[in-house]
Coordinates of all heavy atoms in Angstrom, one line a residue:
V1 N 134.2 40.2 52.1 CA 134.8 41.0 53.2 C 134.2 42.4 53.1 O 134.2 43.1 52.1 CB 136.4 41.1 53.0 CG1 136.9 41.9 54.1 CG2 137.0 39.7 53.0
L2 N 133.6 42.8 54.3 CA 133.1 44.1 54.4 C 134.1 45.0 55.1 O 134.7 44.6 56.1 CB 131.8 44.1 55.3 CG 130.5 43.8 54.5 CD1 130.5 42.3 54.1 CD2 129.3 44.0 55.3
A3 N 134.5 46.1 54.4 CA 135.6 47.0 54.9 C 135.0 48.3 55.4 O 134.2 48.9 54.6 CB 136.6 47.2 53.8
F4 N 135.4 48.7 56.6 CA 134.9 50.0 57.2 C 136.1 50.9 57.5 O 136.9 50.5 58.4 CB 134.1 49.7 58.4 CG 133.0 48.7 58.2 CD1 133.2 47.3 58.5 CD2 131.7 49.1 57.8 CE1 132.2 46.4 58.3 CE2 130.7 48.1 57.7 CZ 131.0 46.8 57.9
A5 N 136.3 51.9 56.8 CA 137.3 52.9 57.1 C 136.9 53.8 58.2 O 135.7 54.2 58.3 CB 137.7 53.7 55.8
Y6 N 137.9 54.1 59.1 CA 137.6 55.0 60.3 C 138.7 56.0 60.4 O 139.8 55.9 59.9 CB 137.4 54.1 61.5 CG 138.7 53.5 62.0 CD1 139.6 54.3 62.9 CD2 139.2 52.3 61.6 CE1 140.8 53.8 63.3 CE2 140.4 51.8 62.0 CZ 141.2 52.5 62.9 OH 142.4 52.0 63.3
Q7 N 138.4 57.0 61.3 CA 139.4 58.0 61.6 C 139.0 58.6 63.0 O 137.8 58.9 63.2 CB 139.4 59.1 60.6 CG 140.5 60.2 60.9 CD 140.6 61.2 59.7 OE1 140.2 60.9 58.6 NE2 141.1 62.4 60.0
T8 N 140.0 58.7 63.8 CA 139.7 59.4 65.1 C 139.5 60.9 64.9 O 139.9 61.4 63.9 CB 140.9 59.1 66.1 OG1 142.1 59.6 65.6 CG2 141.0 57.6 66.4
A9 N 138.9 61.5 65.9 CA 138.6 62.9 65.8 C 139.8 63.8 65.7 O 139.8 64.8 64.9 CB 137.8 63.3 67.0
D10 N 140.9 63.5 66.4 CA 142.1 64.3 66.4 C 143.2 63.7 65.6 O 144.3 64.3 65.5 CB 142.6 64.7 67.8 CG 142.8 63.4 68.6 OD1 142.7 62.3 68.0 OD2 143.1 63.5 69.8
G11 N 142.9 62.6 65.0 CA 144.0 61.9 64.2 C 145.0 61.2 65.0 O 145.9 60.5 64.4
A12 N 144.9 61.2 66.3 CA 145.8 60.6 67.2 C 145.4 59.1 67.4 O 144.2 58.8 67.3 CB 146.0 61.3 68.5
P13 N 146.3 58.2 67.8 CA 145.9 56.9 68.1 C 144.8 56.8 69.2 O 144.8 57.7 70.1 CB 147.2 56.2 68.6 CG 148.3 57.0 67.9 CD 147.8 58.4 67.9
L14 N 143.9 55.9 69.1 CA 142.8 55.8 70.0 C 143.1 55.1 71.2 O 143.7 54.0 71.2 CB 141.6 55.1 69.3 CG 140.3 55.0 70.0 CD1 139.6 56.4 70.1 CD2 139.4 54.0 69.3
R15 N 142.8 55.7 72.4 CA 143.1 55.0 73.7 C 141.8 54.4 74.1 O 140.8 55.1 74.2 CB 143.6 56.0 74.7 CG 144.8 56.8 74.3 CD 146.0 55.8 74.0 NE 147.2 56.5 73.5 CZ 148.2 55.9 73.0 NH1 148.2 54.6 72.9 NH2 149.3 56.6 72.6
G16 N 141.8 53.1 74.4 CA 140.6 52.4 74.8 C 140.3 51.3 73.8 O 141.0 51.0 72.9
K17 N 139.2 50.6 74.2 CA 138.8 49.4 73.4 C 137.8 49.8 72.4 O 136.7 50.4 72.7 CB 138.3 48.3 74.3 CG 139.3 47.7 75.3 CD 138.7 46.6 76.1 CE 139.8 46.0 77.0 NZ 139.2 44.9 77.9
L18 N 138.1 49.5 71.1 CA 137.2 49.8 70.0 C 136.4 48.6 69.6 O 136.9 47.5 69.3 CB 138.0 50.3 68.8 CG 137.2 50.6 67.5 CD1 136.3 51.8 67.7 CD2 138.2 50.8 66.3
S19 N 135.1 48.8 69.6 CA 134.2 47.7 69.1 C 133.4 48.3 67.9 O 133.1 49.5 67.9 CB 133.3 47.2 70.2 OG 132.3 48.2 70.5
A20 N 133.1 47.4 66.9 CA 132.4 47.9 65.8 C 131.3 46.9 65.5 O 131.4 45.7 65.8 CB 133.3 48.0 64.6
G21 N 130.2 47.3 64.9 CA 129.1 46.4 64.5 C 128.4 47.0 63.3 O 128.5 48.1 63.0
F22 N 127.8 46.0 62.5 CA 127.0 46.5 61.4 C 125.8 45.5 61.3 O 125.8 44.4 61.8 CB 127.9 46.4 60.1 CG 128.2 45.1 59.6 CD1 127.4 44.3 58.8 CD2 129.4 44.5 60.1 CE1 127.8 43.1 58.4 CE2 129.8 43.2 59.6 CZ 128.9 42.5 58.8
S23 N 124.8 46.0 60.6 CA 123.7 45.2 60.3 C 123.3 45.4 58.9 O 123.6 46.4 58.2 CB 122.5 45.6 61.2 OG 122.1 46.9 61.0
L24 N 122.5 44.4 58.3 CA 122.0 44.5 57.0 C 120.5 44.7 57.0 O 119.8 43.9 57.7 CB 122.4 43.3 56.1 CG 123.9 43.1 55.9 CD1 124.1 42.0 54.9 CD2 124.5 44.4 55.3
V25 N 120.0 45.7 56.3 CA 118.5 46.0 56.4 C 118.0 45.9 55.0 O 118.6 46.4 54.0 CB 118.3 47.4 56.9 CG1 116.9 47.8 57.0 CG2 119.0 47.6 58.3
D26 N 116.8 45.2 54.8 CA 116.2 45.0 53.5 C 115.4 46.2 53.2 O 115.3 47.2 53.9 CB 115.5 43.7 53.4 CG 114.2 43.7 54.3 OD1 113.8 44.7 54.8 OD2 113.7 42.6 54.4
D27 N 114.7 46.2 52.0 CA 114.0 47.3 51.5 C 112.6 47.5 52.3 O 111.9 48.4 52.0 CB 113.7 47.3 50.0 CG 113.1 46.0 49.5 OD1 112.7 45.2 50.4 OD2 112.9 45.8 48.3
H28 N 112.3 46.5 53.2 CA 111.2 46.7 54.0 C 111.5 47.1 55.4 O 110.8 47.1 56.4 CB 110.4 45.3 54.1 CG 109.9 44.8 52.8 ND1 108.9 45.5 52.2 CD2 110.3 43.8 52.1 CE1 108.6 44.8 51.0 NE2 109.5 43.8 50.9
D29 N 112.8 47.7 55.6 CA 113.4 48.1 56.8 C 113.4 47.0 57.9 O 113.4 47.3 59.1 CB 112.6 49.3 57.4 CG 112.9 50.6 56.6 OD1 114.0 50.7 56.2 OD2 112.0 51.5 56.5
R30 N 113.6 45.8 57.4 CA 113.8 44.7 58.4 C 115.3 44.4 58.5 O 116.0 44.2 57.6 CB 113.1 43.4 57.9 CG 111.6 43.5 57.7 CD 111.0 42.2 57.2 NE 111.5 41.9 55.8 CZ 111.2 40.9 55.1 NH1 110.3 40.0 55.5 NH2 111.7 40.7 53.9
T31 N 115.7 44.4 59.8 CA 117.1 44.1 60.1 C 117.3 42.5 60.0 O 116.6 41.8 60.7 CB 117.5 44.5 61.5 OG1 117.4 46.0 61.5 CG2 119.0 44.2 61.8
L32 N 118.1 42.1 59.0 CA 118.3 40.7 58.8 C 119.3 40.0 59.7 O 119.1 38.9 60.1 CB 118.6 40.4 57.3 CG 117.5 41.0 56.3 CD1 118.0 40.8 54.9 CD2 116.2 40.3 56.6
F33 N 120.4 40.7 59.9 CA 121.3 40.2 60.9 C 122.3 41.3 61.4 O 122.4 42.3 60.7 CB 122.1 38.9 60.4 CG 123.0 39.1 59.3 CD1 124.2 39.9 59.4 CD2 122.7 38.6 58.0 CE1 125.0 40.0 58.3 CE2 123.5 38.7 56.9 CZ 124.7 39.4 57.1
I34 N 122.9 41.1 62.6 CA 123.8 42.0 63.2 C 125.1 41.3 63.5 O 125.1 40.2 64.0 CB 123.2 42.6 64.5 CG1 121.8 43.3 64.2 CG2 124.1 43.6 65.1 CD1 121.1 43.8 65.4
V35 N 126.2 42.0 63.2 CA 127.5 41.4 63.5 C 128.3 42.4 64.3 O 128.5 43.6 63.9 CB 128.3 41.0 62.2 CG1 129.6 40.4 62.6 CG2 127.5 40.1 61.4
Y36 N 128.8 42.0 65.5 CA 129.7 42.9 66.3 C 131.0 42.1 66.6 O 131.0 40.9 66.8 CB 129.1 43.2 67.7 CG 128.1 44.4 67.7 CD1 126.8 44.2 67.4 CD2 128.6 45.6 68.0 CE1 125.9 45.3 67.4 CE2 127.8 46.7 68.0 CZ 126.4 46.6 67.7 OH 125.6 47.7 67.7
N37 N 132.1 42.8 66.6 CA 133.4 42.1 66.9 C 133.5 41.7 68.4 O 134.2 40.8 68.7 CB 134.6 43.0 66.5 CG 134.7 44.3 67.3 OD1 133.6 44.8 67.7 ND2 135.9 44.8 67.5
D38 N 132.7 42.4 69.3 CA 132.8 42.0 70.7 C 132.0 40.7 71.0 O 132.2 40.1 72.0 CB 132.4 43.1 71.6 CG 131.0 43.6 71.4 OD1 130.4 43.2 70.4 OD2 130.6 44.5 72.2

């Protein structure tokens, strides 16, 4: 499980739709895969 902690700028609940994505990059700067929740 990859865990990503976040915080809004003013600390208030976020209004709107939040999407997150991450990718894994090897030591040759090759992006191996990308995962987005949307």
Side-chain angles (χ1 to χ4, degrees):
V1 177
L2 277 68
F4 308 91
Y6 71 87
Q7 181 176 339
T8 58
D10 55 7
L14 185 69
R15 302 304 175 189
K17 294 182 178 180
L18 175 65
S19 68
F22 69 89
S23 61
L24 295 187
V25 182
D26 66 11
D27 55 4
H28 299 291
D29 284 330
R30 296 178 299 183
T31 300
L32 300 178
F33 62 72
I34 301 173
V35 180
Y36 274 88
N37 63 330
D38 58 355

